[in-house]
C-alpha cells in the first residue's frame, strides 16, 4: 500500500515526503503495525486474568482488597506520565531516524561523486553525528521502558502490602483484625503472584501501543497526501490511420507547484523536511536559507504533435525543461492551462537506469521467459 501510494504522489506531495520518510514507513512503521496485530490476543487474555484473580482475592480477603485497588489507582497518574514521556521520546527517535536514512540514501545514490572528490571522511562524520543522536534517543527509550517494567512489576507487591495491612488491622467481621492464617497468607500471595504476570505484560502492551499509534499516525499522514490528478491527461485508444497522432498538447502551461509559494523573510523562514532535503548534504543548518524566487510556471505555451512511428528529439541546455516535458506528458505535473491527449499506451524509460540486485541476464529478462534469439539481439543492441 505504501509503495503504491509513493508511485501516485503529486509533485507537491513528493516535496513533502523525503526518501528517508518513505523508507521508514515501509521498513519500520509497517513492521510495528504487524507486531501489534500479533499481540492483539493479549488484550483479551490480560483483563480475563485480572478479573479472575481479583475475584478470588476478594473471596479470601473481602473488602480489604479495596486498599490494594486504592494503591493501583494512586499509581495510575504516574503511569500516565510515563506513557506521555515514552510517546514523546518515540516521536523524537522516529524523526532522527528519518534524517539519518535520508542522509544515507543520498550518499549511497551519489557514492561515485563522494569517492571522486574524496569526501568520505566529511560524510562519515556527518552520518556518525546523526547516528549518535538516534542512539541517544534509543537509549532514552530503553531506559524509560526498563523503569516502566520495574514500576509495573512492583505494583502487585505494593497492593499485597496495603491489602494485608488493612486485613490484619480491621479486615475481620465488624472491623476486627482478620485471621492471618497460613492458608489465607499463602493462597493470597499465590493469587497476587498470578496478577504479577498480566500487570507486567501491561507495560509491554502500552509501550507497543504507543509505537503502533505513532506508526499508524505517520502512515495515515502519508496515505492522505495529495495524489496525481489522473484527469490531467486525456487517454484514448490508438488510432488506426498511418499518420495517427500519438501525443498531442495544445496551449499547455505546466508547473511543479500547485500554488504560489509564500515568500518569507530569510531570518524567520522555517525550513520543512523537504526543504532541508534540498540543502547541501554537508551544511550544518539551514539558517542561511534565502527567499525563493517569484513563482512562475515551468513550461509555458507548449504545443506539440507526435505521430506514431516517428522519432522525436527534444534538444536543449540543462534546466530548460526537457525532463519536465516528459513528466507533463505522463501527467506528473500540475496543468494550469491547455490539454494533453495520449492515444494508446506510453512507456517511459528514465535517464537513470534501475538495476536489480541480480545477474545481468536476470536484469535483461526482468521476470519474463528466456528466448535465446531475442536475448542475443538485446545483448548485441546494447553493446554488452
Amino acid at each position: 500500500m505504501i509503495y503504491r501510494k509513493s508511485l501516485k504522489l503529486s509533485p507537491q506531495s513528493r516535496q513533502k515526503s523525503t526518501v528517508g520518510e518513505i523508507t521508514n514507513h515501509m521498513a519500520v512503521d509497517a513492521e510495528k503495525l504487524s507486531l501489534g496485530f500479533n499481540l492483539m490476543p493479549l488484550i483479551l487474555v490480560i483483563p480475563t486474568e485480572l478479573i479472575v484473580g481479583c475475584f478470588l482475592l476478594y473471596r479470601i480477603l473481602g473488602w480489604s482488597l479495596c486498599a490494594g485497588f486504592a494503591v493501583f489507582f494512586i499509581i495510575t497518574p504516574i503511569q500516565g506520565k510515563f506513557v506521555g514521556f515514552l510517546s514523546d521520546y518515540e516521536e523524537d527517535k522516529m524523526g532522527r531516524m528519518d534524517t539519518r536514512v535520508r542522509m544515507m540514501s543520498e550518499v549511497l545514490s551519489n557514492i561515485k561523486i563522494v569517492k571522486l572528490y574524496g569526501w568520505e571522511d566529511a560524510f562519515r562524520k556527518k552520518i556518525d553525528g546523526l547516528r549518535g543522536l538516534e542512539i541517544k534517543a534509543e537509549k532514552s527509550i530503553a531506559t524509560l521502558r526498563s523503569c516502566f517494567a520495574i514500576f509495573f512489576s512492583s505494583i502487585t507487591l505494593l497492593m499485597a502490602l496495603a491489602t494485608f495491612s488493612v486485613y490484619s488491622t480491621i479486615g475481620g467481621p465488624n472491623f476486627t483484625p482478620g485471621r492471618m492464617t497460613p492458608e489465607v497468607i499463602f493462597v493470597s500471595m499465590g493469587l497476587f503472584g498470578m496478577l504479577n504476570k498480566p500487570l507486567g505484560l501491561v507495560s509491554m502492551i502500552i509501550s507497543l501501543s504507543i509505537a503502533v499509534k505513532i506508526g499508524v499516525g505517520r502512515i495515515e499522514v502519508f496515505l492522505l497526501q495529495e495524489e496525481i490528478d489522473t484527469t490531467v491527461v486525456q487517454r484514448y485508444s490508438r488510432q488506426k490511420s498511418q499518420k495517427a497522432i500519438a501525443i498531442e498538447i495544445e496551449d499547455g502551461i505546466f508547473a511543479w507547484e500547485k500554488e504560489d509559494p509564500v515568500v518569507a523573510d530569510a531570518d524567520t523562514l522555517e525550513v520543512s523536511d523537504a526543504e532541508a532535503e534540498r540543502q547541501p548534504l554537508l551544511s550544518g543548518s539551514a539558517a542561511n536559507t534565502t527567499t525563493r524566487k517569484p513563482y512562475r510556471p515551468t513550461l509555458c505555451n507548449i504545443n506539440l504533435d507526435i505521430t506514431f512511428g516517428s522519432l522525436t528529439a527534444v534538444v536543449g541546455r540543462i534546466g530548460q525543461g526537457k525532463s519536465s516535458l516528459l513528466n507533463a506528458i505522463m501527467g506528473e505535473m500540475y496543468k494550469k492551462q491547455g490539454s494533453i491527449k495520449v492515444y494508446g499506451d506510453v512507456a517511459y524509460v528514465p535517464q537513470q537506469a534501475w538495476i536489480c540486485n541480480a545477474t545481468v541476464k536476470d536484469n535483461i529478462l526482468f521476470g519474463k521467459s528466456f528466448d535465446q534469439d531475442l536475448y542475443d539481439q538485446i545483448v548485441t543492441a546494447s553493446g554488452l
Side-chain angles (χ1 to χ4, degrees):
M1 184 185 298
I2 297 174
Y3 172 73
R4 291 196 298 268
K5 178 68 177 184
S6 65
L7 299 178
K8 299 178 182 179
L9 290 178
S10 66
Q12 197 164 355
S13 298
R14 291 179 188 275
Q15 294 178 2
K16 294 178 182 178
S17 297
T18 62
V19 177
E21 288 178 352
I22 297 176
T23 303
N24 280 336
H25 290 328
M26 292 187 287
V28 180
D29 297 332
E31 179 67 20
K32 289 180 179 178
L33 190 60
S34 64
L35 289 176
F37 283 120
N38 293 334
L39 293 177
M40 283 187 67
L42 293 178
I43 298 176
L44 299 176
V45 173
I46 291 175
T48 303
E49 291 184 0
L50 290 176
I51 292 173
V52 172
C54 291
F55 175 74
L56 295 177
L57 282 171
Y58 180 78
R59 293 191 61 181
I60 297 174
L61 300 175
W63 65 269
S64 301
L65 185 61
C66 294
F69 287 143
V71 172
F72 180 79
F73 289 121
I74 291 172
I75 295 176
T76 300
I78 303 176
Q79 298 172 355
K81 289 291 184 181
F82 270 110
V83 171
F85 289 141
L86 192 60
S87 178
D88 293 339
Y89 279 117
E90 190 74 29
E91 290 182 359
D92 181 61
K93 186 199 78 168
M94 294 305 298
R96 293 179 178 181
M97 184 182 295
D98 289 340
T99 306
R100 178 185 61 82
V101 174
R102 177 186 70 83
M103 174 67 70
M104 286 297 301
S105 300
E106 294 195 17
V107 170
L108 292 175
S109 61
N110 298 279
I111 192 64
K112 183 178 180 180
I113 298 175
V114 174
K115 289 288 186 180
L116 289 175
Y117 284 91
W119 289 341
E120 295 95 332
D121 293 336
F123 280 110
R124 185 183 299 113
K125 291 179 182 178
K126 187 75 173 179
I127 294 172
D128 287 343
L130 295 175
R131 184 178 285 115
L133 294 175
E134 184 183 352
I135 292 175
K136 182 179 178 181
E138 190 69 45
K139 287 181 178 178
S140 300
I141 293 175
T143 302
L144 198 59
R145 284 176 177 170
S146 300
C147 296
F148 206 35
I150 294 172
F151 193 70
F152 262 101
S153 62
S154 62
I155 288 179
T156 54
L157 204 60
L158 296 176
M159 290 177 62
L161 179 61
T163 302
F164 282 132
S165 298
V166 174
Y167 182 76
S168 62
T169 306
I170 55 174
N174 298 323
F175 298 100
T176 58
R179 294 178 57 193
M180 297 293 290
T181 62
E183 179 183 357
V184 172
I185 295 174
F186 286 109
V187 172
S188 299
M189 290 301 297
L191 292 174
F192 275 117
M194 187 181 74
L195 295 179
N196 193 34
K197 178 183 177 182
L199 288 176
L201 289 175
V202 168
S203 63
M204 182 182 68
I205 294 295
I206 292 177
S207 300
L208 186 59
S209 299
I210 292 172
V212 171
K213 179 183 177 183
I214 294 174
V216 170
R218 286 160 53 87
I219 293 175
E220 180 183 8
V221 171
F222 176 73
L223 294 179
L224 292 178
Q225 288 189 13
E226 183 186 36
E227 295 185 359
I228 295 174
D229 186 3
T230 56
T231 62
V232 169
V233 180
Q234 303 175 28
R235 302 186 181 276
Y236 302 95
S237 58
R238 181 172 177 176
Q239 299 177 349
K240 298 182 179 180
S241 59
Q242 293 182 351
K243 295 184 178 180
I245 299 295
I247 299 173
E248 181 182 2
I249 302 177
E250 294 181 357
D251 300 327
I253 298 179
F254 307 96
W256 285 110
E257 295 177 331
K258 188 174 184 179
E259 299 176 353
D260 295 357
V262 178
V263 179
D265 184 71
D267 296 330
T268 60
L269 185 64
E270 294 184 1
V271 180
S272 63
D273 292 337
E275 290 291 340
E277 186 165 356
R278 290 193 288 271
Q279 297 294 324
L281 290 179
L282 293 179
S283 61
S285 87
N288 296 326
T289 303
T290 57
T291 55
R292 286 176 280 186
K293 296 180 181 180
Y295 170 79
R296 62 179 181 181
T298 305
L299 301 174
C300 298
N301 302 322
I302 302 298
N303 291 278
L304 177 66
D305 290 331
I306 300 177
T307 59
F308 278 103
S310 62
L311 176 62
T312 304
V314 181
V315 182
R317 293 192 296 270
I318 296 175
Q320 288 193 327
K322 302 183 297 297
S323 298
S324 296
L325 178 61
L326 295 178
N327 283 277
I329 294 174
M330 292 186 295
E332 295 187 355
M333 293 183 68
Y334 292 109
K335 184 182 69 174
K336 302 295 183 179
Q337 180 181 315
S339 63
I340 310 174
K341 298 179 181 179
V342 174
Y343 300 89
D345 297 328
V346 175
Y348 173 67
V349 180
Q351 58 188 6
Q352 185 175 4
W354 185 79
I355 302 175
C356 299
N357 185 17
T359 62
V360 176
K361 180 179 178 181
D362 292 334
N363 275 276
I364 294 175
L365 295 177
F366 208 68
K368 294 185 177 180
S369 57
F370 179 72
D371 185 340
Q372 185 65 53
D373 296 334
L374 181 59
Y375 181 80
D376 294 337
Q377 293 177 15
I378 293 173
V379 171
T380 303
S382 58
L384 297 176

